[in-house]
Amino acid sequence: MRPPDWLHTVDHSGSGAIHEIECTSCLAGSGPADDMDAPAVWALRHARRTGHTGYRRMVTDFQRAPASDG
Ligand SMILES: [Zn+2]
């Protein structure tokens, strides 16, 4: 059984989660944003302009491991 201090926790000391959408047809990307609003608008415009309909949504958040005590 894992010792409880192996648990990672969400790191609130830096930025929040980063949201991004990538086109699976041409790999163009929305760029990182603080929420999904701007990436969603980017994807809609990209779909209208290119006809590309497949997208990958990526959300990155940050975890912090407990500091080693030895
Ligand atoms: Zn595309």
Side-chain angles (χ1 to χ4, degrees):
M1 188 169 165
R2 288 179 175 180
D5 64 356
W6 276 37
L7 293 174
H8 293 198
T9 56
V10 175
D11 184 356
H12 295 288
S13 66
S15 72
I18 295 171
H19 302 257
E20 193 164 4
I21 291 180
E22 183 179 88
C23 177
T24 57
S25 296
C26 72
L27 303 183
S30 66
D34 290 338
D35 58 39
M36 198 46 85
D37 292 350
V41 169
W42 174 87
L44 189 62
R45 288 179 178 159
H46 186 77
R48 285 179 180 162
R49 191 170 68 247
T50 63
H52 298 162
T53 55
Y55 294 87
R56 174 169 53 186
R57 189 171 71 169
M58 296 168 283
V59 180
T60 303
D61 69 0
F62 298 91
Q63 304 276 301
R64 187 165 292 274
S68 170
D69 58 4

